[in-house]
Each structure stands twice: as C-alpha cells, then as structure tokens.
Amino acid sequence: DMKVISHQRFSMPMIRFFIFFILFYLYVLSHIDPRLIYHGHGIIPFPIFFRGVEFFKGFLVYPGGLIEYISAFLSQFYYFHYFGSFIITIVIVLISLVTGKFITSFGGTRFRSIIYVPAIFLLIEYNRYFHCLDAMLGLLVSLFFLWIYLLIAHRRIIFRITIFLISSFILYYIAGGIYLLYALLCGIFEFLIKRNYLICLFYIFLALLIPYTAYMYVFEISITDAYTRVLPIHPESYLRESNIIWVLYIFFLLSAFWLRLWRLLVRKQSRRKSSKIPLRYEADRTSFGTNFPNYSKISKLKFLYESLFLLFAAAGVVFFSFNKNENIKLRINYFSSQEMWNHVLKEAQRLPDESYNLLVTHDVNKALYYTSRLPYDMFSYPQDVRALLTLSFFSPSSEATFLFADLPRISDTFFRLGFINHAEHAAYEAMEIIGEYPAILQQLFLINIVKRKPETAKVFLNALSKDLVFCNWAERYLRYLDEDPFMSTDKQVQHIRSVMLVMDYDKNLDLGIILQSLQYNKRNRMAFEYMMAYYLLSYQLDKIVQNIHRLNDFDYQDIPRHYEEAVLIYMDITGRRVDLHGRKINKNTVKKFQRFCDIVDRYNNNRNAGLAVVAKEFGDSYFSYIYLFLVSREAK
C-alpha cells in the first residue's frame, strides 16, 4: 500500500545518503589524508591557530573573521587524520542537507540527488590539495540562513524583509563576502517564486550597500576586505588559484532558475494531459489503490539509475581530479617531517623522474643519509646540486625561489649539519614569510637551546604552549628547562653542540666552503657525506680523491660505491694512480666501469644515442650522471 511505498521511498535515499558519505569519509581518510595538508605549510597555505582571548580578538575586527577563526580551529585537527577526515566529511554532509532544503523550496523534490553535487565539487578541491574549509563553512552558514528565510516564505512581505535585514547583518559579520550568495538567492526566490520584483532589486541593492557601509563607518578595513573576505578572489584566500568554488556558487544560482523553469514546464504539461484523460481514469489516479502496481517498480528503477549515475560521477571525479604525483610529494614532505626516512624513500620510488622538484630531492637526500645510503644509492634518484642543501637560499633561479616557502626544511638541514647561524636565519625568514607554524617555533626553540639561550628558547615554547596540537609538548619542555636550562642530558642537543660551527651568516658564502668548514669535525659524518655528495654533483672529481683518506675518520668498512665510481673515472681521465689508504675498489665496480668505457667508446661519435644505453645499464650509478654531464657539455 501507499505507506509501504512511502517508507521505501524515504528509507532508500537515506540508506544511499549514509553509504555515500561513509565511502566519502573512507576515501578522504585513505587517499587525501588531511595530515598532508596540515604538514604542507609553505606548500599548501594553512591557517595558524593559538588558544587565548588575544588571538580570538584579532578575528572580531573585520567581517568574515568568525568563519576564519572557526576554520583555523577545526583545521588544527587535520594533524590527526581520523579527526581531520571526519571534520571534512561532516561539514560536507551538512552542506548537502541544507542543499536539500534549498532544492525542495524551489520545487525540485524529484531532483534531490542534486544534494550530492556540492560534495563532488568539494572532493575535486581536496583531490587537488586546496585547503577550502573556510569557504565550506561560509557556504554552509549562507545556505543555513537561506533555509531559515525559506521557512518564513509564507509570512507577510514586511516580516520577510525584516528577517532578511537582521540575518544580512549577522551573516555578513560572520561570513564576510560570501553573504552576497545568500542575498542573491533570497532575491531570486522573491523574483521567481513570489514574483516581487522590487523586493528582489532591493535585496541586491542591500547586498552591495552593507559591505560599503561596513567599510565606510563600522570597521577599519579596506574596500577589498569589505567585499571579498572569505571569497576566493580575496588576496589572502587559500583558493586564489582555484575556480571550483566559483563554479559551486554559480551552481546554486543557476539551479534556482532551472528548478523553477522545470516546475513551470511540468505544470503546463500536466494541464495538457489532464484535459485528455477520461474522468474514470482520473478517479483511479487519485484513489491510490491497486491501479498502480508498477509505481514502486518504476520508483525503484529510477532510484537505481540515479544511484548508478552518482556512483560513476563520483568515481570519475576521483579518477580525473586526483593528483597522484602531488599526493606523493606531500607524503614525502610529511614523512620527512616525521623522520620516517624509509617511508620517504619508498614514496620517492613511486614518483616519476619528471615530477621531481628541488624539495623532493632535498628530502630524499636527507633520507638517504639517515638510512646510511647516501654515498651508495643517491644516483638511484634524480639529482640536482641545488637541492642538496642550497635551494632558494643560495640559488637565485625562479625554480628555487618557489621553494623559499619551505625554509623550515632547509633550516632543519642546517641545524642537523651544525651550521646553527644559517639554521636560525632560515627559521626567522620562514616565520616572517609563512607565519608562526609549530615546526618553525620548535626549530627556533632547539636552535636557542643549542646556543645556550634558554630564556629566548622559552619565548618560543610559550608560543607553542598556546597551540592546540603541541601545547603538551611545549609544557613538558618548559618543565624540563626549569630543571636543566641548557638540556645538558639531551642526546640530540649534545650531538648538535659537538658538531656545530658558529659564524656570521653570509648569504653569498659558497656551499663548498660551508661544508668544508664543517667536515673536519670527526663527529660530523653528515657534513662529510654532504660535502662528498656536493663534489659528486658538481663534477669535482679531484676533491673526491683528495678526501678518500677521511673515510678512516668515520669508520667506513669499505669505499662507498659512488666514491669508487668517481675514483675510477678520475684515474681514467688523468691517468694517475690514487692512494686509497689501504682500501680496495670492489671488483664488480671495476667490471661495470670497463663495460661503461666500452659503451663510451662505441658511441663516441653519437653520445646522444649512447645516453639511452648508459641510462638503462647504469641508471643508478655515478657513471650515468657523469655521462649526462658530458653529453650536455657537448650540446652546448
């Protein structure tokens, strides 16, 4: 009977709704992983949040500040990927629910599947690793206020105008420029449904007047802040390079017109059909008896088609919009920040060579060092001398400048090497450019402890104690400093002090001089390996040979493979013998070098053709790297 049919029509969409968003949550959790967004500061713009009234007050002095404050608060939970995935999912669930209210109010009851459209659009944003939580919350609040307005649509016009005015001031203060969407949708409702054309124009006029009034008489803000705060076009928006949010706003505006047009067409068609139907059949249609045995079947078939279309649409979005290479880069960045070095190398093997950038190579080399593989396997991965240590610090190229935003990683490398002044300079530069992120505050705390400045270190710990995620960590170290101000028992601090070199920062200082000044400390194995890597990457074979005796300082059991390859090339080029200080070159390395020489001789007149052969047989060796250098030099 009709009750069973109604129950089926209600329960089936609800089941589909729950299944869709359970799958949505699992996808965000397993593929997007909000931790990558949280740790991607400098790569992905991400909000800073501190506990306390003073921080909160800063968001009260401009429209849209409350949305940005709530967004910054919730964003901190991205650190925990289960909570971060839940927050993203639940906000999109709420947007979908209020979208359903919007659809039914505009007469689109039969098109309730449209509620999944915002979820699919926002999934595209997260697949491309845009942080759009503030835009999502702004959209949610705007649609919620629209729902309230539609609930009182049957009331007198003066009452609706009053509610619109009150809600406009509240919404504008909460959500800033996204208030314009609410005003336009209310105006469209009055225009299409109520046919109050003057009221529609009045609402649009108010939408333009309220921000201007706020700019002139209420807040000390710019005209840009007054009209565009929280919108993607705002200069500080995280979505300046994205068009998806604009498409989503336009979707709501166009849907209002389309749903109304569809409603009018259905009514017109219904009138035509009713005039041709016999009275007996018309009576049967309204009796809801056994004359409709196929109704449930047709409804189920439509539901099945809609569900399949939704499934394929979501799958298509996942397939075409998910940026796999960007995901891998962010995973490398995340694992590096967590010192999960084997995971860094595992992810790097999944990344195509053409997708490497300086930052990825930098993190890979650091991981190779901490897994004791740098002088053995560094040429198994794409290399660039700028990525070893310098990046934007010493390289003026535009490609390197892009990585200037990731100075915390560079500061960390300087710190581990013992070049403390450079590390401190990089950390302060990073804080000035991208903000007081926890990783930067932690770095400055450790730097000042190493430099025996506990009072300065406490300044950064006190700032960290207001962070939602690292507050306990900071408070633990504050107690630690009360007992031991110089952290004289901390192994990491003691090691850095033992290898550190303190000198005035000179931005024009040559990288080779930096490493040479560090590597004579026999405890500083990292400086030695980085210096040798620098000589390999800059084709300074004579420097490799001159430092082979330093292997004894660090208790190497053999000559690392890449050093062997460099020595063999040096001897072949110069014809000189090299003192290996009692060590021998591995026979397999000698055999490979002989094979390499044969290929070089064979393709002496066509080195470009030989490059493919060398890359195939010696792609993970220094032979391939040096051969590429010879080919490039000939091309010039």
Side-chain angles (χ1 to χ4, degrees), residues 161-176:
I161 293 176
T162 303
I163 293 299
F164 177 81
L165 286 171
I166 296 172
S167 61
S168 291
F169 290 118
I170 296 173
L171 179 59
Y172 177 69
Y173 180 64
I174 294 174

Side-chain angles (χ1 to χ4, degrees), residues 381-416:
Y381 304 86
Q383 290 293 339
D384 189 316
V385 67
R386 296 171 298 169
L388 182 65
L389 183 62
T390 59
L391 295 182
S392 55
F393 233 115
F394 298 98
S395 297
S397 70
S398 59
E399 184 181 359
T401 302
F402 151 76
L403 293 172
F404 197 65
D406 205 71
L407 279 170
R409 294 288 178 269
I410 315 306
S411 174
D412 177 68
T413 304
F414 280 132
F415 179 78
R416 293 169 186 270

